[in-house]
Structures are given as structure tokens and as C-alpha cells.
Amino acid sequence: MTGKAEGDVIAVVSETPNNQGSRAVSVALCVDGEAYTRLHRVLRNLVIGLIDHAVAVQLICPDERIQELSFGPIRTVVHQPVTWLAGNRRIAKVLELLAPSPPTIVHAVSVGSYELASAIAEVYEADLVIQVTSLADCEGLAQVEDARVGAYLPYSLPLAQVLREQFRTAPEKTELIRPGVLASQEIACFSSPNRRPTLLCTTDFDKHGGVDRLVDAARILRERGRDLLVFLLGTGPQETNLRRQVIDKGMSSCITFARPWGDPADTMKSSDLYVRPADNGTFLINPLQAMGIGMAVVAHPCAVSDYLRDGETALLDSGSTPEATADLIDTLLTDRAYAKRIATTGRDFVRTYHPMSGMADRTAAVYRKLDLSHATFPLKE
């Protein structure tokens, strides 16, 4: 891999040639830092699938971690964030760097990349594809000219409904493409009968995350005589307060803090229950991945995540109190057969509706449909 600093842009190019001239579709996939943190596992699955479809991909991102996806023919461009003061200059640098291999399609993953993607599409007369993964993405559509958008790709039915009802997007321009995650052959939930029941939470430590409520729920469960290990995998401004709460309540022996590192799937495979104690209006990838691994999920209802089906794929915690959360977890601890049924149904749902290959297949089909709309065919005499 080689890197080159150029003013406000750092270009990182894989050593394998891009060979764009021999490919039917060339895509600039624009990702902002927040979206990379939230969706990088899905993005990895998508990029690998697009390689199989002979789609040439350039990843454009202000976060250097995007280089983790620079393999095979994938080209990555790391740029300075597009801000109000320096936005035009930094966009111009990205445009200059793309000039040798201009994209025919520009795909913006979330609202933080909409402005840059729109500028690239306009300059290179490329089709613009807008991914919609959250309510914030929906609100950000105000900055995008609908006439320039070739396709909207919502992650879920609720997001597709928002596009249709609030933004009047044309049905022929809207394609529901669910994110693809791994579906395991095994069920992680209570797979080791001799292991202490283990609960995992990967919610960020902020004031809206609800992790403090989960700590109180764990205390209630211990008072009920439940022997439970809790792993809090995350970071955030409330970490000090949460650690103090755990110490004050005498829960240090059963609650462990850990920093996120690598793919949480490895931790999920060694856990039984997954808890997501709050909703932030964003499609939730970690609970979906936990379902795919075969964990039993307890989650706060999410307005845009349609895979959370109460009593089928998960137990929904709408009470928003420590007691309500503790009761749902206790239900799964008490009836392990029921917990395994929930985990199995969730895993099967992921296998059916969120396959990795299906995500790449449908995305590539959208690209080719847009590309074909510009093709011209000679007429025989």
C-alpha cells in the first residue's frame, strides 16, 4: 500500500491496479467518520461483495481507518473533513485527486457525506446514490437536490416510509436494501451450560445511552440471587460516572468495562444475552449482528430498525426503568429454552433478510441499472 500527502488530502492507493478501464461501473463510495464507526463491518461486507461483481470502488473518507478496507483493487482516499470555513477548498482537492479515474456513480453512505458526494456527482456528471440509515440522514436530505439523485437506498421499511411520506421520493427511485451481516451456524445463547450467564452491551457511554439503567438492572438481578456477568464494551463522556456507579453499588465483581477493539462478533460468540437499553433514531447494527451470532436480544424499541420484533426476534424493553429491564433479562435467565428460541428466530431472520451476498447483489444491480440508463446501443440496418 502506498500513501501520498497532497495539501488537505491524503491519498492511499492499494498496490493492486484498479483496472477501471475494463470494468462496467466505477463507484466513489463516500463515508464520513461517524458512519464508518457505526457501519464499518457492513461496509466491509459490501465492498467485498462489490469486488465479486466487478465494480470498481474508490472509498472517500476523512477518517484514516478507512484504509482498513484498502484491499485487492479497492482504492481509498483520506481527506480533511469538509467544514464550513474550508469546505470548498477541501472538496476541490478531492475532485482533483479523482480526476484520473472519475466515477460514473457516487454513493453517499450517510448525511455527513452528502455534501461532498453531491459535489463529486455534479462535477463528473455521475449518478448520485443516497443511502439512508437514520432519521438524521432523512433530515439531511434537505441539502440534496432530488433531481440529481438516481436512487435512494433506505436500510429499513420505516426509513423507506419516511422517504415516501415526508420527502415524496419517487417509488422507482427508492430501493430497500437491508444491511448484510454474518449469520452463524451455531446459537451462542447458553451454548456452554457450565458458563456463568453472560450479558453484553456495546452502547456508547453517553447521557442518552441508558447504560446507567442497565447497571441498576444488574444490581436488581443480583439482589434477586442471579449470578450474572455483565460486559460493557464502549467509550464515552459518561464512563467515569458509570464506573463510579458500579463501585458505589458494589457491582465491580460482576460488571466489567472494556474498550471496543476489532470486531465485537468475537465477544458476542462468548456471550448469551445482548442488551441495547436506548434508541437514538439510528439503524442499529450491533443488535442485528448479535442476532446473527445467535444471542438473545433485549432492546429498547427502535423507530427505524424493523428487525426488532417483540417476542419473536427480541424482547423489547419499552418500560425504560431498571425494574422493567431487569424483568426482561430475568425472563430469559429463568427460561433458557425460551431464550434459545428467541435467539434462533433472530438468527434465522438475519439469515433470511440480511444476507451479506444479498446486500451486495442488490446494490450492484442499482449501480448497473443507473449505468445502463446512459448507455447507447447501435441500431442495425
Side-chain angles (χ1 to χ4, degrees):
M1 183 183 300
T2 61
K4 180 182 179 183
E6 232 178 278
D8 288 319
V9 177
I10 301 174
V12 182
V13 186
S14 63
E15 293 180 356
T16 305
N18 224 3
N19 295 328
Q20 288 197 9
S22 64
R23 295 177 184 270
V25 180
S26 174
V27 178
L29 193 63
C30 299
V31 187
D32 63 273
E34 183 276 335
Y36 184 81
T37 298
R38 180 165 51 94
L39 305 172
H40 69 276
R41 293 180 301 281
V42 172
L43 291 173
R44 179 181 177 84
N45 297 339
L46 174 61
V47 168
I48 292 174
L50 292 177
I51 291 175
D52 292 339
H53 282 275
V55 174
V57 179
Q58 300 182 80
L59 293 169
I60 319 297
C61 184
D63 193 320
E64 292 187 0
R65 291 177 299 167
I66 198 70
Q67 298 173 40
E68 298 168 354
L69 302 184
S70 181
F71 45 80
I74 301 301
R75 182 186 189 221
T76 59
V77 175
V78 182
H79 64 89
Q80 292 295 319
V82 176
T83 60
W84 179 70
L85 289 176
N88 291 337
R89 175 166 54 84
R90 291 173 178 176
I91 289 175
K93 286 289 187 179
V94 175
L95 293 171
E96 178 184 345
L97 195 60
L98 293 177
S101 303
T104 59
I105 291 174
V106 183
H107 182 164
V109 170
S110 68
V111 63
S113 60
Y114 287 174
E115 181 182 0
L116 175 60
S118 298
I120 296 173
E122 181 176 7
V123 168
Y124 291 114
E125 298 183 343
D127 288 299
L128 180 61
V129 174
I130 296 293
Q131 194 98 49
V132 180
T133 69
S134 67
L135 294 178
D137 290 354
C138 293
E139 295 169 0
L141 293 177
Q143 64 181 271
V144 180
E145 184 181 351
D146 177 72
R148 293 203 57 84
V149 179
Y152 294 93
L153 308 183
Y155 259 12
S156 67
L157 279 172
L159 287 169
Q161 291 171 352
V162 172
L163 293 180
R164 182 177 64 251
E165 296 171 3
Q166 297 186 22
F167 296 93
R168 308 299 181 188
T169 56
E172 63 272 16
K173 290 171 61 173
T174 305
E175 183 77 19
L176 171 62
I177 300 181
R178 293 185 167 93
V181 299
L182 175 68
S184 175
Q185 294 295 324
E186 306 297 329
I187 298 298
C189 181
F190 299 128
S191 59
S192 300
N194 298 324
R195 181 178 66 202
R196 291 173 65 185
T198 304
L199 183 152
L200 176 66
C201 177
T202 61
T203 301
D204 289 336
F205 302 148
D206 58 50
K207 62 181 180 180
H208 302 297
V211 180
D212 56 335
R213 189 169 66 251
L214 176 57
V215 171
D216 276 337
R219 174 188 55 81
I220 293 171
L221 289 167
R222 193 180 67 168
E223 291 174 352
R224 294 177 183 177
R226 292 298 185 186
D227 185 19
L228 181 69
L229 290 177
V230 179
F231 288 92
L232 303 179
L233 195 65
T235 60
Q238 294 298 309
E239 181 172 350
T240 299
N241 292 339
L242 288 170
R243 288 181 179 274
R244 185 179 300 115
Q245 179 185 359
V246 168
I247 293 172
D248 291 345
K249 296 183 181 298
M251 299 291 291
S252 298
S253 62
C254 60
I255 296 181
T256 299
F257 289 82
R259 294 296 177 95
W261 184 83
D263 192 336
D266 294 334
T267 306
M268 291 176 179
K269 292 174 183 177
S270 302
S271 304
D272 303 301
L273 312 179
Y274 180 92
V275 178
R276 174 76 186 201
D279 169 35
N280 59 1
T282 299
F283 191 97
L284 307 175
I285 296 297
N286 282 357
L288 180 66
Q289 189 172 20
M291 281 172 46
I293 294 296
M295 299 179 68
V297 172
V298 175
H300 193 280
C302 178
V304 300
S305 296
D306 52 2
Y307 62 82
L308 295 172
R309 302 186 176 189
D310 193 24
E312 297 180 30
T313 63
L315 296 186
L316 297 190
D317 181 10
S318 56
S320 297
T321 65
E323 290 77 15
T325 303
D327 288 344
L328 289 177
I329 296 172
D330 211 359
T331 297
L332 298 175
L333 295 174
T334 301
D335 191 344
R336 293 194 175 190
Y338 176 61
K340 288 184 177 181
R341 285 198 299 272
I342 293 288
T344 302
T345 303
R347 190 276 313 272
D348 292 346
F349 185 93
V350 169
R351 181 176 292 170
T352 301
Y353 293 102
H354 292 270
M356 293 186 290
S357 60
M359 172 183 59
D361 292 347
R362 300 191 68 179
T363 303
V366 169
Y367 293 163
R368 297 193 187 283
K369 179 181 178 181
L370 292 172
D371 198 61
L372 188 61
S373 68
H374 301 292
T376 58
F377 301 94
L379 297 178
K380 295 183 178 180
E381 294 292 342

